[in-house]
């Protein structure tokens, strides 16, 4: 083979990698751009603050926005305590135990289950089995179940990022395991844990399949009053008006997509802000 | 009648295994109250393992199996369930200084707070006394609430000593406390240890025989998990009884 000039090689490699990297940004920019351009016309105060009318063709999407927020909040409420507690046990108390091995295996498998299967499971167990009906309770439990493996994993990673020498020093000063977790490990991993939770939340906000059979309503103009009510949700609403309702303006569909996108990106932006603060404040 | 004991720790037939690897073999020795006991020996001689047994930090290591008896006053140290109380009575300083990610004050208060001390007045006194005893007070008294991790390595190590002293321990274990420090910081830590001797029983593990010869009252030589020789420091360094001790202090191995 002919000898190559390493400098020219380096230039070509740099250029090639840069082009491929730019290629990755293009679809994201196109999607966000299209949604904004086509949807911005439909989004005004009335769109955001009123219920749909005339078979979803007119009015706004307030119930779907509220519904999505309720679902996300509910899912966080159920999944975070269980997920964080599980991660603490796995990392801090029994990393090498048999039960930890089983839990890790279960989490690995849970994370691989398609979301529609969670939806069917929620229908079978929560809606029918536990007789919760198609309700916020059933829907948020289903979403929480789907969130759980990711929250356990991301929390465990944040806990592991705290150097072991801090744990050893704390234990050597006569602190108990729990005191060490409470006063050393958690304060120094909290921002990482929060970031994981927020990112998972934004994913849950966009999910359709798990809520399809468990909570989502096609058309329900009034806002929910109890956890046994159904709610509308943005992804479900988008699916409904795009496939089930004829003669609906293109700008309305893109408007719904824009609101959903804004919600998800907004949540992600918070996560990024939290994470960069964490990097700045890290002192070891 | 029980005779008043002059031993802080009495160790009988102590052996430690990690899996099928022997780390310590049948160690018996008494550590006198208030003395500064130096422990020298090459790496893998079992010095560090010996220290981790004395404050039960060995419990945190997987696969460690400990046999033998250690008496601290009336306490059967290896059998007691009160591990946290053992670690408060027997403090430990590690080779690399580990300041907790707290303020300087937070580091010194950490042990007492975890054992239930809440009174701010008592804590303030503990912080000042401990930092003074560790020879760090004058360098940090104006910035007690700044992060401890901003201190230099030598200062952090003296902070670790202060932090351990805040628990009013009977015994202080130091595992090569100067291995990461420059000569000046080393001298300051040694001064601190010499000043503490008498009030606190100190066990100093060191890779540097000269450090033991400078500060220790008695010195023990460990080799391959066994206690080869224990004698007054001067006697051990001038007239070692065992030829392996002689070879080690003359720098022939290790």
């Amino acid at each position: 083979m002919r000898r190559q000039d390493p400098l020219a090689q380096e230039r070509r490699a740099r250029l090639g990698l840069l082009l491929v990297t730019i290629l990755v940004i293009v679809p994201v920019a196109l999607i966000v751009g299209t949604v904004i351009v086509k949807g911005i016309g439909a989004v005004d105060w009335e769109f955001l603050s009123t219920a749909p009318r005339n078979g979803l063709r007119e009015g706004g999407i307030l119930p779907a926005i509220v519904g999505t927020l309720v679902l996300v909040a509910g899912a966080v409420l159920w999944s975070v305590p269980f997920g964080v507690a599980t991660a603490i046990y796995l990392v801090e108390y029994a990393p090498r135990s048999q039960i930890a091995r089983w839990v890790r295996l279960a989490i690995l498998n849970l994370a691989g289950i398609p979301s529609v299967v969670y939806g069917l499971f929620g229908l079978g167990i929560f809606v029918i089995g536990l007789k919760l009906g198609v309700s916020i309770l059933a829907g948020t439990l289903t979403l929480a179940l789907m969130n759980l493996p990711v929250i356990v994993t991301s929390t465990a990673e944040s806990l592991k990022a705290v150097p072991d020498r801090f744990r050893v020093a704390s234990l050597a000063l006569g602190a108990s395991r729990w005191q060490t977790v409470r006063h050393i490990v958690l304060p120094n991993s909290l921002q990482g844990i929060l970031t994981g939770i927020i990112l998972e939340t934004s994913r849950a906000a966009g999910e359709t399949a798990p809520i399809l059979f468990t909570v989502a309503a096609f058309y329900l103009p009034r806002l929910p009053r109890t956890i046994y009510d159904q709610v509308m949700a943005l992804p479900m609403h988008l699916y409904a008006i795009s496939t089930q309702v004829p003669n609906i303006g293109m700008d309305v569909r893109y408007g719904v997509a824009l609101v959903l996108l804004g919600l998800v990106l907004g949540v992600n932006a918070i996560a990024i802000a939290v994470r960069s603060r964490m990097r700045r404040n890290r002192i070891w | 009648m029980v005779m008043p004991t002059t031993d802080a720790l009495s160790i009988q037939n102590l052996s430690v295994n990690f899996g099928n690897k022997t780390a310590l073999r049948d160690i018996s020795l008494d550590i006198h109250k208030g003395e500064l006991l130096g422990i020298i020996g090459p790496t893998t001689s079992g010095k560090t393992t010996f220290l981790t047994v004395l404050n039960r930090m060995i419990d945190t290591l997987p696969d460690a199996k400990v046999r033998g008896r250690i008496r601290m006053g009336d306490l059967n140290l290896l059998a007691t369930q009160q591990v946290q109380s053992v670690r408060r009575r027997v403090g430990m300083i590690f080779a690399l200084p580990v300041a907790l990610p707290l303020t300087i004050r937070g580091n010194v208060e950490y042990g007492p707070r975890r054992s239930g001390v809440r009174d701010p007045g008592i804590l303030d006194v503990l912080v000042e006394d401990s930092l003074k005893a560790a020879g760090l007070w004058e360098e940090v008294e104006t910035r007690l609430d700044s992060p401890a991790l901003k201190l230099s390595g030598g200062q952090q190590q003296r902070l670790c000593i202060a932090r351990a002293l805040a628990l009013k321990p009977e015994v202080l274990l130091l595992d090569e406390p100067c291995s990461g420090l420059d000569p000046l910081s080393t001298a300051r830590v040694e001064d601190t240890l010499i000043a503490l001797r008498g009030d606190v029983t100190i066990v100093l593990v060191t890779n540097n025989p000269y450090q033991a010869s400078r500060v220790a009252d008695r010195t023990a030589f460990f080799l391959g998990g066994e206690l080869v020789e224990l004698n007054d420091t001067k006697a051990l360094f001038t007239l070692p009884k065992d030829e392996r001790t002689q070879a080690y202090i003359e720098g022939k191995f290790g």
Side-chain angles (χ1 to χ4, degrees):
Chain A
M1 218 177 93
R2 160 174 83 85
R3 274 182 68 87
Q4 300 218 337
D5 173 13
L7 267 174
Q9 223 173 14
E10 172 66 24
R11 266 197 301 274
R12 275 198 299 280
R14 183 183 289 268
L15 190 70
L17 292 171
L18 177 67
L19 286 176
V20 172
T21 308
I22 290 172
L23 226 56
V24 173
I25 305 173
V26 169
V28 179
L30 278 179
I31 292 173
V32 175
T34 311
V35 169
I36 290 176
V37 169
K38 296 197 174 176
I40 196 78
V43 180
D44 55 19
W45 179 243
E46 196 204 343
F47 190 69
L48 296 174
S49 66
T50 62
R53 292 188 309 271
N54 188 17
L56 302 182
R57 285 186 190 83
E58 292 170 28
I61 55 166
L62 179 67
I65 297 174
V66 171
T68 290
L69 293 176
V70 167
L71 291 180
V72 163
V76 167
L77 199 69
W78 302 129
S79 58
V80 167
F82 288 96
V84 171
T86 303
I88 291 176
Y89 183 79
L90 288 183
V91 175
E92 303 295 332
Y93 281 84
R96 270 175 282 266
S97 64
Q98 191 61 37
I99 182 163
R101 268 191 282 275
W102 282 109
V103 172
R104 268 192 286 269
L105 190 68
I107 287 169
L108 215 64
N109 284 300
L110 278 177
I113 293 176
S115 57
V116 68
V117 176
Y118 279 104
L120 285 172
F121 177 84
L123 175 69
I125 300 297
F126 298 129
V127 176
I128 298 169
L130 296 176
K131 298 190 171 61
L132 299 178
V134 176
S135 62
I136 293 175
L137 191 55
T140 51
L141 284 172
T142 308
L143 278 177
L145 215 57
M146 194 189 73
N147 284 351
L148 207 51
V150 183
I151 289 184
V152 172
T153 310
S154 71
T155 303
E157 289 309 315
S158 305
L159 296 175
K160 282 185 210 156
V162 177
D164 250 345
R165 57 181 190 275
F166 293 152
R167 293 182 181 82
V168 173
S170 169
L171 292 173
L173 287 166
S176 65
R177 273 268 165 218
W178 175 246
Q179 287 176 327
T180 302
V181 170
R182 162 81 185 68
H183 294 281
I184 298 296
V185 181
L186 277 183
N188 288 289
S189 55
L190 196 59
Q191 282 161 313
I193 295 172
L194 283 178
T195 311
I197 291 170
I198 294 169
L199 286 176
E200 182 54 15
T201 303
S202 77
R203 195 173 77 101
E207 281 289 348
T208 316
I211 58 173
L212 190 60
F213 319 118
T214 54
V215 55
F218 184 80
Y219 177 55
L220 188 69
R222 68 174 178 82
L223 298 180
R225 294 201 187 84
T226 76
I227 54 172
Y228 295 104
D229 284 349
Q230 285 182 257
V231 288
M232 298 181 75
L234 286 170
M236 176 70 185
H237 184 65
L238 183 57
Y239 172 74
I241 60 173
S242 304
T243 60
Q244 313 290 312
V245 184
N247 309 325
I248 198 158
M250 205 52 149
D251 61 333
V252 176
R253 295 182 203 173
Y254 276 104
V256 176
L258 179 58
V259 173
L260 181 56
L261 202 66
L263 213 70
V264 171
L265 292 184
V267 170
N268 285 356
I270 296 174
I272 290 165
V274 170
R275 197 162 40 187
S276 68
R277 259 182 73 97
M278 170 179 68
R279 290 219 183 97
R280 250 208 319 281
N281 292 349
R282 177 167 292 185
I283 38 182
W284 67 81
Chain B
M1 200 184 103
V2 181
M3 293 293 288
T5 172
T6 55
D7 291 329
L9 290 164
S10 172
I11 296 130
Q12 288 150 26
N13 309 109
L14 175 69
S15 294
V16 175
N17 292 43
F18 293 101
N20 51 21
K21 254 182 59 193
T22 303
L24 287 177
R25 203 190 309 269
D26 202 26
I27 308 275
S28 295
L29 71 99
D30 295 333
I31 300 172
H32 305 328
K33 268 202 175 114
E35 78 169 328
L36 200 169
L37 174 69
I39 299 181
I40 58 172
T43 46
T44 74
S45 60
K47 314 180 301 274
T48 298
T49 304
F50 181 69
L51 285 195
T52 60
V53 173
L54 297 186
N55 78 341
R56 294 282 297 271
M57 281 305 281
I58 190 121
D59 293 20
T60 64
L61 304 176
D63 309 326
K65 195 160 171 291
V66 182
R67 277 164 299 145
R69 275 173 60 85
I70 299 179
R71 212 164 36 74
M72 177 166 59
D74 295 330
L75 183 75
N76 183 345
L77 190 143
L78 288 179
T80 180
Q81 301 288 314
Q82 307 293 322
V83 181
Q84 277 133 257
S85 146
V86 168
R87 290 178 190 158
R88 287 183 195 121
R89 293 173 66 182
V90 184
M92 181 148 183
I93 314 294
F94 301 95
L96 291 174
V98 181
L100 291 168
L102 304 165
T103 60
I104 294 170
R105 184 199 304 279
N107 266 274
V108 184
E109 286 179 348
Y110 188 82
R113 276 185 182 276
R114 298 294 86 78
S115 69
V117 180
R118 288 277 176 276
D119 185 303
I122 294 176
L123 287 169
D124 281 348
V125 171
L126 270 177
V127 168
E128 183 171 345
D129 287 354
S130 308
L131 286 169
K132 276 180 176 161
L136 189 61
W137 175 251
E138 277 137 47
E139 291 159 63
V140 300
E141 63 175 315
T142 57
R143 46 174 175 147
L144 290 176
D145 293 307
S146 61
L149 289 158
K150 293 226 168 104
L151 295 173
S152 75
Q155 289 174 323
Q156 284 195 29
Q157 195 58 295
R158 277 176 287 144
L159 177 67
C160 291
I161 295 174
R163 193 171 66 185
L165 290 176
L167 284 162
K168 307 263 180 230
E170 295 152 50
V171 182
L172 203 57
L173 313 171
L174 299 105
D175 184 11
E176 299 171 26
C178 302
S179 58
L181 304 184
D182 63 83
L184 203 66
S185 299
T186 299
R188 301 228 40 184
V189 170
E190 285 179 6
D191 290 346
T192 302
L193 296 183
I194 291 167
L196 286 172
R197 171 172 51 188
D199 298 328
V200 186
T201 308
I202 297 173
V203 184
L204 170 69
V205 159
T206 174
N207 263 344
N208 177 356
Y210 297 108
Q211 183 168 50
S213 73
R214 282 195 296 267
V215 300
D217 298 311
R218 292 194 302 159
T219 298
F221 173 56
F222 277 46
L223 181 65
E226 289 178 51
L227 172 61
V228 174
E229 188 167 349
L230 167 63
N231 209 339
D232 286 341
T233 298
K234 206 168 173 189
L236 186 117
F237 278 95
T238 49
L239 286 168
K241 289 185 201 124
D242 194 295
E243 59 191 22
R244 291 171 293 174
T245 313
Q246 171 129 30
Y248 179 70
I249 58 183
E250 284 173 359
K252 292 205 175 117
F253 64 91

